[in-house]
């Protein structure tokens, strides 16, 4: 199969750029006490996760959902899985227990005694044990218990709960990862990690175990990853990158583009492709146009991208245009497959196995 045979819209992976990103990240962590735990949510694709792990310097895989963990475990990608998110809701704790019963060394982030109790009940029923990281809020207005006393109290509850094994803490500094100014990013990440590390110290001083201190993302891998005491970094986007992260001073290349076909050239400075927002999210802004000087995306609608062109552009109906997504995670989640390219040759078509809500597909099958 060649590039020209791919039906559109379709996501393209530049294999060589992706491999360079994987090697660069692995090289950064080689020989350091801190390791990488690549975040699966960025691509939801076992074939990519396998390559990330094969490059070395990794502790295991990070997942955002139970479904992702199920895909990682059943595809045999890794047995060492951290669900870096709260697990609550019908059937979820049971599914985690099932993964543990199947041999996975599964660890779950917990920020409430409710979540801890649900997990404990399920693992006891399955006669297994799972690891727990206390999820500490380090500044991102999202999940996580307050650092210090509240986190210590929860750690104590977890440690004394049968079926749960306290392994450490996590704290995602998501409010810092996208700060474009390096000094400001370092300051924000540093402040967050002080809180996480102080909490880890309190937990240890209370005689509880805290071997894992997990944090970080693509924007802070070489900031948080250098801080003494942080044991692993949960970066995901680095492997394929997007235009939001490309604004930072990062060494990674954009390796994912969205291929579309020109449906119409309704005016001298405008064309319309079939790559609309059912194929590309705009939560981090419109995608950018690859390889056409001066062209930009005016708007995305359901099935259309309206692109402004220089008036002398020869683009005509039937031509193909690639866009750079602004946010890879939710964009990839809209597709079933990644088309992997070496030049014009499609070398692989990888299923995005954990896209959407796989548990709904299970219900339907
Ligand atoms: C819990 C958690 N860890 C790590 C990350 C890092 O991901 P990225 O590499 O895309 O910054 C994210 C991203 O949202 C996250 O939610």
């Amino acid at each position: 199969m060649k590039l020209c045979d791919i039906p559109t819209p379709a996501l393209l992976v530049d294999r060589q750029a992706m491999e360079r990103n994987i090697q660069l990240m692995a090289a950064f962590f080689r020989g350091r006490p801190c390791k990488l735990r690549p975040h699966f949510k960025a691509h939801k694709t076992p074939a990519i996760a396998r390559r990330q792990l094969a490059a070395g310097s990794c502790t295991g895989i990070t997942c955002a959902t139970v479904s992702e963990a199920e895909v990682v475990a059943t595809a045999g990608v890794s047995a060492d899985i951290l669900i870096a998110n709260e697990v609550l809701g019908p059937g979820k704790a049971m599914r985690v227990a099932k993964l543990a019963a199947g041999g996975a060394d599964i660890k779950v982030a917990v920020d409430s005694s409710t979540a801890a109790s649900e997990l404990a009940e399920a693992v006891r029923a399955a006669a297994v044990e799972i690891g727990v990281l206390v999820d500490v809020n380090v500044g991102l207005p999202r999940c996580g218990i307050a650092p210090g006393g509240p986190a210590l109290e929860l750690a104590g509850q977890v440690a004394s709960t049968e079926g749960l094994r306290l392994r450490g803490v996590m704290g995602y500094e998501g409010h810092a990862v996208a700060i474009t100014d390096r000094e400001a990013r370092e300051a924000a990440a540093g402040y967050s990690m002080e809180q996480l590390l102080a909490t880890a110290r309190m937990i240890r001083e209370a005689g509880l175990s805290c071997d894992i201190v997990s944090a970080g993302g693509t924007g802070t891998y070489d900031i948080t990853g250098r801080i003494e005491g942080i044991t692993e970094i949960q970066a995901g986007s680095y492997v394929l990158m997007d235009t939001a992260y490309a604004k930072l001073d990062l060494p990674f290349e954009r390796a994912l583009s969205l291929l579309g076909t020109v449906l119409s050239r309704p005016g001298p400075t405008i064309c319309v492709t079939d790559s609309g927002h059912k194929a590309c999210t705009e939560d981090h802004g419109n995608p950018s146009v690859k390889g056409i000087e001066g062209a930009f995306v005016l708007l995305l609608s359901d099935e259309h991208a309206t692109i402004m062109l220089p008036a002398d552009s020869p683009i005509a109906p039937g031509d193909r245009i690639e866009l750079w997504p602004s946010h890879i995670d939710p964009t990839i989640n809209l597709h079933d497959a990644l088309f992997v390219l070496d030049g014009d040759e499609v070398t692989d078509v990888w299923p995005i196995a954990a896209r959407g809500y796989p548990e709904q597909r299970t219900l339907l099958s």
Side-chain angles (χ1 to χ4, degrees), residues 39 41 84 142 170 172 177 216-219 234-238 245 329:
H39 210 317
K41 83 181 172 76
R142 214 172 67 181
M170 73 155 263
Y172 174 53
V177 294
T218 295
Q234 304 172 1
S237 300
Y238 75 95
Y245 261 137
D329 313 44

Side-chain angles (χ1 to χ4, degrees), residues 146-199:
L152 173 61
E153 193 184 329
L154 183 58
Q157 280 171 26
V158 168
S160 61
T161 303
E162 193 196 329
L164 303 184
R165 190 164 147 236
L166 181 67
R167 300 291 308 275
V169 291
M170 73 155 263
Y172 174 53
E173 72 283 27
H175 57 297
V177 294
I179 298 173
T180 45
D181 178 70
R182 171 90 192 185
E183 266 182 43
R185 193 158 80 247
E186 283 177 357
Y191 181 62
S192 292
M193 292 309 110
E194 275 172 28
Q195 296 172 73
L196 187 63
L197 288 165
T199 304

Side-chain angles (χ1 to χ4, degrees), residues 25 37 39 41-42 62-64 82-85 135 140 142 170-174 177-178 214-221 233-239 242 245 327-329:
M25 188 61 108
R37 183 182 283 280
H39 210 317
K41 83 181 172 76
T62 308
C63 292
L82 166 63
I83 302 181
N85 197 2
D135 188 4
L140 176 69
R142 214 172 67 181
M170 73 155 263
Y172 174 53
E173 72 283 27
V177 294
S214 190
T218 295
T220 54
Y221 79 99
I233 295 294
Q234 304 172 1
S237 300
Y238 75 95
V239 66
D242 49 38
Y245 261 137
H327 193 186
I328 58 161
D329 313 44

Side-chain angles (χ1 to χ4, degrees), residues 205-287:
E205 279 165 13
L208 304 172
S209 61
C210 187
D211 299 332
I212 301 175
V213 182
S214 190
T218 295
T220 54
Y221 79 99
D222 64 342
I223 300 170
T224 304
R226 283 191 164 103
I227 297 176
E228 202 184 326
I230 304 298
T231 65
E232 57 179 39
I233 295 294
Q234 304 172 1
S237 300
Y238 75 95
V239 66
L240 297 173
M241 290 290 283
D242 49 38
T243 60
Y245 261 137
K247 289 184 193 139
L248 273 61
D249 49 359
L250 301 172
F252 306 109
E253 299 169 54
R254 284 174 295 187
L256 184 86
S257 61
L258 174 65
L259 181 67
T261 301
V262 177
L263 302 176
S264 174
R265 177 91 197 244
T269 59
I270 197 164
C271 78
V272 180
T273 64
D274 58 0
S275 39
H277 59 211
K278 285 188 182 171
C280 188
T281 68
E282 305 138 290
D283 55 311
H284 285 176
N286 277 339

